[in-house]
Amino acid sequence: MAVAVDDGNAAAAAGGGDGSALPPPTSSPPQALIERLKDYGQEHVFALWDELSPQERLLLVNDIQSLDLSRTDRIIRCSLRSQGLPVAAIEPVPESCVSSVEERTMEERERWWKMGLKAISEGKLAVLLLSGGQGTRLGSSDPKGCFNIGLPSGKSLFQLQAERILCVQKLAVQSMNEGSAGSVTIHWYIMTSPFTDDATRKFFESHKYFGLEADQVTFFQQGTRPCISKDGRYIMETPFKVAKSPDGNGGVYSALKSSRLLEDMAARGIKYVDCYGVDNALVRVADPTFLGYFIDKGVAAAAKVVRKAYPQEKVGVFVRRGKGGPLTVVEYSELDSSLASAINQQTGRLRFCWSNVCLHMFTLDFLSQVADGLEKDSVYHVAEKKIPFVHGYTMGLKLEQFVFDAFPYAPSTALFEVLREEEFAPVKNANGSNYDTPDSAKLLVLRLHSRWVVAAGGFLTHSVPLYATGVEVSPLCSYAGENLESICRGRTFHAPCEIAF
């Protein structure tokens, strides 16, 4: 049975976060709770009390008690206050912070690969999946990871990632000294949200964890935050329920802390954490080369980056914030168009060219510092969205943190360029959209794997143009194109098909 962990966000439940138990509500709301709400200007949540049934009154009181009122108030005040404040000017990332593809030697790659496999074989790497999102934009109410992008195998995103973990475990065992006994286990921590948790667990159980051991998978939930009006007041979804939304993929840091999973990682001897988003069909989970590079650089944080395709591409980019300041990510909407188009005359690249694709590596020590730092600063991104409301929908504000909010806290950060056609196939929009669809991701996988097969001495036949099809190599056969000669050399495969053992 997989380890189940509560998100801990309602730990301060009783008494609105101060630990005092309250009697069940009767004809009027509990006075102590009203006083606490008045302190924060939120007493309007009881405006429709007289219209509620006894059961609804109980639900409302429990809902308010589940909020950490003082922390929520601090987040609201700090986040609204930070809106529109001047930020330090941005500078391009120094070349010394980036390992670009053209500068990398074969010797370096092999050395990093071996370093990474050694650390993995010693149990020092955990994998952290950000999987709180539903596939709503894909036309599905299931968790995104359950989505089948249409590959010949019919595998879901979760299965592709699980099988890559299995493959790396096998490679790590093979890399160990002759005569070394034992197996290698990479622990997989999966962050869900209240909207995806149950379905995700059931999906893994029904698929027998895709060949992984059930006890090497730990699910935990990200938190939620109340949705607020522009003046900071809670929006009521129903007369007895505050509207809430997940606290963003950056909620992973506080969720790891409140779920005591940072201690769990330390107890397992984990030193490094590979963190990624669920909706990338080409993600190299637990990449030994990236891990080896990370260890070699001795930094606290690192990110894989791809070169921006064109100046106005809608991707966040890494920048340096202020003279000699930390590396951080600026969203495309915040980057002035003249800066977005500026060219570095020495390299011929865009000055701001390193796109963030949510492929990160952190030391465990750093993750602990980030959780504390973000909690203390209490500044969330504020997004104006349509919010479910007592009378239908209303425009309001959602409070979110992003996974890249960690980078300003890092004493040292390194960027590792990867080729998007090898490692970045986003699955964000339904088929028929202009970009980042299941079909576009499927084609990227098939084309890459076709190149692997041809490089390994295989041949392809096809009844539709090759640019529109290809072959799929099971992750159980090869992680990144290695070890395919024995399967492919001299053989002909008819596209589309899956190549498995």
Side-chain angles (χ1 to χ4, degrees):
M1 190 58 199
V3 185
V5 184
D6 289 331
D7 71 346
N9 265 21
D18 64 0
S20 56
L22 294 169
T26 51
S27 56
S28 58
Q31 194 57 38
L33 195 49
I34 291 176
E35 295 306 322
R36 279 186 63 73
L37 286 165
K38 278 182 178 169
D39 289 345
Y40 305 120
Q42 304 290 0
E43 65 273 19
H44 66 283
V45 298
F46 288 128
L48 299 175
W49 178 268
D50 292 340
E51 298 170 24
L52 301 182
S53 69
Q55 180 62 27
E56 288 169 340
R57 289 175 177 180
L58 191 60
L59 287 170
L60 176 57
V61 170
N62 287 342
D63 191 39
I64 302 303
Q65 286 178 346
S66 75
L67 300 174
D68 184 336
L69 293 174
S70 59
R71 173 152 169 68
T72 303
D73 180 66
R74 190 166 76 248
I75 289 168
I76 291 170
R77 283 187 294 106
C78 292
S79 304
L80 292 179
R81 198 186 305 139
S82 73
Q83 293 288 288
L85 286 180
V87 290
I90 59 171
E91 295 186 350
V93 173
E95 294 291 315
S96 60
C97 293
V98 187
S99 167
S100 64
V101 170
E102 67 253 22
E103 290 167 3
R104 236 171 269 156
T105 65
M106 191 54 76
E107 292 74 32
E108 277 180 322
R109 289 180 202 193
E110 286 178 7
R111 184 165 60 86
W112 290 333
W113 174 263
K114 287 175 182 168
M115 282 177 78
L117 285 178
K118 182 172 186 292
I120 289 166
S121 70
E122 292 166 351
K124 292 179 180 173
L125 179 72
V127 173
L128 175 58
L129 169 58
L130 309 175
S131 182
Q134 292 166 290
T136 318
R137 278 156 66 189
L138 300 169
S140 166
S141 59
D142 292 331
K144 261 191 189 175
C146 302
F147 201 79
N148 162 12
I149 64 170
L151 290 168
S153 66
K155 289 173 182 173
S156 63
L157 292 169
F158 281 142
Q159 182 166 354
L160 293 172
Q161 292 161 25
E163 291 184 354
R164 285 174 195 147
I165 291 172
L166 283 165
C167 188
V168 174
Q169 289 180 170
K170 187 176 70 176
L171 289 166
V173 169
Q174 291 166 356
S175 75
M176 290 157 74
N177 293 332
E178 287 298 321
S180 297
S183 58
V184 170
T185 299
I186 298 171
H187 205 88
W188 197 9
Y189 295 88
I190 299 178
M191 183 177 80
T192 64
S193 70
F195 309 102
T196 64
D197 187 74
D198 189 50
T200 301
R201 291 171 193 262
K202 284 179 176 161
F203 194 74
F204 271 75
E205 285 167 17
S206 67
H207 290 85
K208 298 186 166 49
Y209 295 85
F210 310 105
L212 295 166
E213 297 298 324
D215 61 4
Q216 78 183 93
V217 182
T218 299
F219 300 100
F220 66 106
Q221 284 190 51
Q222 71 186 103
T224 59
R225 294 281 165 239
C227 302
I228 57 171
S229 59
K230 287 185 178 176
D231 58 0
R233 283 152 61 92
Y234 299 163
I235 291 171
M236 299 302 292
E237 183 172 329
T238 71
F240 48 89
K241 182 184 177 190
V242 176
K244 302 180 194 76
S245 63
D247 54 5
N249 58 17
V252 66
Y253 305 112
S254 57
L256 282 173
K257 184 182 178 185
S258 62
S259 303
R260 305 191 68 94
L261 288 178
L262 296 172
E263 290 102 311
D264 182 71
M265 291 177 183
R268 293 176 191 275
I270 289 161
K271 298 272 190 280
Y272 314 110
V273 180
D274 176 28
C275 174
Y276 69 99
V278 73
D279 53 4
N280 177 0
L282 280 176
V283 59
R284 288 192 184 172
V285 187
D287 180 0
T289 306
F290 185 36
L291 175 57
Y293 166 76
F294 180 71
I295 294 169
D296 198 29
K297 294 292 281 187
V299 289
K304 285 184 174 180
V305 289
V306 300
R307 220 166 278 209
K308 208 170 171 187
Y310 51 93
Q312 304 310 326
E313 187 183 10
K314 293 184 174 181
V315 288
V317 290
F318 275 92
V319 302
R320 175 174 258 178
R321 189 65 86 177
K323 203 91 179 145
L327 297 195
T328 185
V329 175
V330 166
E331 285 291 58
Y332 63 88
S333 54
E334 300 169 23
L335 193 62
D336 182 85
S337 61
S338 62
L339 285 179
S341 306
I343 301 290
N344 178 331
Q345 297 304 327
Q346 263 125 19
T347 64
R349 292 192 294 256
L350 292 170
R351 286 184 72 217
F352 298 95
C353 74
W354 301 119
S355 303
N356 170 46
V357 287
C358 197
L359 301 169
H360 304 317
M361 191 78 74
F362 303 116
T363 65
L364 183 59
D365 290 344
F366 175 61
L367 280 181
S368 305
Q369 293 163 21
V370 171
D372 292 338
L374 286 172
E375 191 170 319
K376 188 160 88 331
D377 290 351
S378 299
V379 175
Y380 281 55
H381 302 268
V382 176
E384 189 169 3
K385 296 277 172 75
K386 245 166 63 165
I387 311 289
F389 179 50
V390 176
H391 307 298
Y393 283 88
T394 185
M395 291 310 289
L397 305 176
K398 288 185 176 181
L399 298 162
E400 296 178 315
Q401 288 182 316
F402 299 140
V403 68
F404 57 71
D405 290 342
F407 285 95
Y409 295 89
S412 51
T413 299
L415 303 184
F416 187 81
E417 184 193 4
V418 296
L419 300 175
R420 64 170 71 210
E421 60 267 28
E422 292 183 357
E423 298 199 38
F424 188 49
V427 185
K428 295 189 182 293
N429 305 307
N431 285 329
S433 303
N434 292 330
Y435 57 91
D436 297 350
T437 64
D439 279 351
S440 66
K442 175 183 72 176
L443 267 181
L444 284 165
V445 174
L446 294 177
R447 286 173 185 167
L448 174 65
H449 292 192
S450 297
R451 294 197 294 275
W452 289 356
V453 169
V454 171
F459 301 93
L460 301 182
T461 59
H462 45 95
S463 43
V464 295
L466 192 54
Y467 66 79
T469 187
V471 292
E472 173 190 2
V473 175
S474 166
L476 299 174
C477 293
S478 182
Y479 180 76
E482 77 294 330
N483 300 335
L484 285 174
E485 286 78 5
S486 61
I487 302 172
C488 298
R489 185 169 300 286
R491 288 185 63 193
T492 298
F493 302 93
H494 186 76
C497 69
E498 183 196 15
I499 298 171
F501 285 121

